[in-house]
Amino acid sequence: ITYTGKAQANAFISGMVYTPSGVLKNCQNKGTITANVNGLACPLKIGGFVRSSSTATYDGCVNSGDIVFKGTSTSAVYIGGLCGDVNGACKFTGAGFVNKGAIKFLGTTTSTGYAGGIAGAATVSIGETAVLKNEGTVTNYDATASLTGSAATVRWGGCFGSVSSKPQSVKMVNTGDVYVRYSEKMGADVTIGGVAGGSSQVISNATICGDVAAIGFTEASNKEGVGMITGVHRGSSAMVDKCKVGGRYALTETDGQP
């Protein structure tokens, strides 16, 4: 699925369902979802399954298609293997959800860019005991197309770009690499993490085996936060509990990929 153009209202693009409800069980998306926009002035949400997830329950669902943002925007951009953002009573049961596709933030927004293997952002509690797993690379760089994505505020992570509500009993696993290359169009607030770019809540029972790398950043270029679990973790409820880290970490001024 490829969307090209300039939307006049909220832009929502998904591979399966526009607004899900009920149970999605053993569903798969294998197609690449691409948004190639020009001067978009409204929020953009892209997901392998749905644009935003609020009331659905997922069991054994898999996304193996790449999720790609290209072009320019002046509003917030949310992209993820499942959905752009989780903003309601979303639940994961049984086999949960697995993302195998690459998450490619190759465009530019003068607002906030959210990108994660599961969702760009999680703004509400995610319930039930299940596993959320990301195996795909989360990146803003495409060497073949000579594209480097950017945002005024960056929130990019292996599972979620940003977590502002407790994921409850969900177990998160990230085996995909989070690879971010510096762009001069980035603002002064850049956070990158193996689980989430930024979090104000409890991150527990997470396993990170993928690499986390921020390449080409200098001390003067950005106020970046890069971590194996989260890039920034703050707030009265912020805590890391029972997490395992097995990947590599790199924050360097030298261009290239580790």
Side-chain angles (χ1 to χ4, degrees):
I1 298 174
T2 300
Y3 172 84
T4 302
K6 183 177 180 180
Q8 301 302 313
N10 289 344
F12 301 138
I13 307 166
S14 60
M16 191 166 292
V17 183
Y18 177 76
T19 303
S21 61
V23 179
L24 278 73
K25 186 172 183 177
N26 299 327
C27 297
Q28 294 188 46
N29 172 58
K30 298 181 180 180
T32 295
I33 313 295
T34 301
N36 192 352
V37 298
N38 179 25
L40 191 69
C42 58
L44 173 64
K45 298 181 180 182
I46 317 168
F49 275 67
V50 300
R51 45 102 182 184
S52 293
S53 190
S54 57
T55 60
T57 297
Y58 301 90
D59 182 356
C61 295
V62 179
N63 174 64
S64 56
D66 293 349
I67 310 299
V68 185
F69 162 59
K70 295 181 178 179
T72 60
S73 174
T74 59
S75 190
V77 176
Y78 303 79
I79 67 172
L82 170 67
C83 58
D85 70 337
V86 177
N87 61 10
C90 179
K91 295 182 179 180
F92 298 87
T93 62
F97 179 83
V98 178
N99 175 62
K100 299 183 178 182
I103 310 300
K104 300 181 179 181
F105 198 106
L106 304 178
T108 298
T109 177
T110 56
S111 182
T112 303
Y114 300 91
I118 307 302
T123 58
V124 295
S125 295
I126 302 170
E128 304 300 329
T129 301
V131 175
L132 297 180
K133 185 176 183 180
N134 175 58
E135 299 176 0
T137 298
V138 178
T139 187
N140 72 325
Y141 182 54
D142 187 325
T144 303
S146 298
L147 291 175
T148 302
S150 66
T153 300
V154 170
R155 295 290 182 268
W156 296 338
C159 291
F160 297 98
S162 174
V163 175
S164 56
S165 189
K166 184 179 179 181
Q168 293 187 4
S169 56
V170 169
K171 180 180 180 180
M172 292 178 286
V173 177
N174 178 45
T175 61
D177 296 337
V178 181
Y179 172 66
V180 178
R181 191 169 184 257
Y182 172 70
S183 167
E184 62 183 12
K185 295 181 181 179
M186 288 180 177
D189 190 355
V190 177
T191 60
I192 305 156
V195 175
S199 175
S200 60
Q201 297 295 322
V202 176
I203 299 293
S204 62
N205 298 312
T207 301
I208 305 94
C209 297
D211 297 339
V212 178
I215 307 300
F217 288 82
T218 66
E219 185 175 350
S221 61
N222 291 75
K223 181 182 178 181
E224 68 274 351
V226 183
M228 289 302 296
I229 298 175
T230 63
V232 61
H233 204 70
R234 58 187 172 215
S236 59
S237 300
M239 185 175 68
V240 174
D241 181 40
K242 298 177 183 177
C243 294
K244 300 178 181 179
V245 175
R248 299 176 299 172
Y249 169 90
L251 174 59
T252 74
E253 298 181 18
T254 305
D255 195 8
Q257 187 163 356

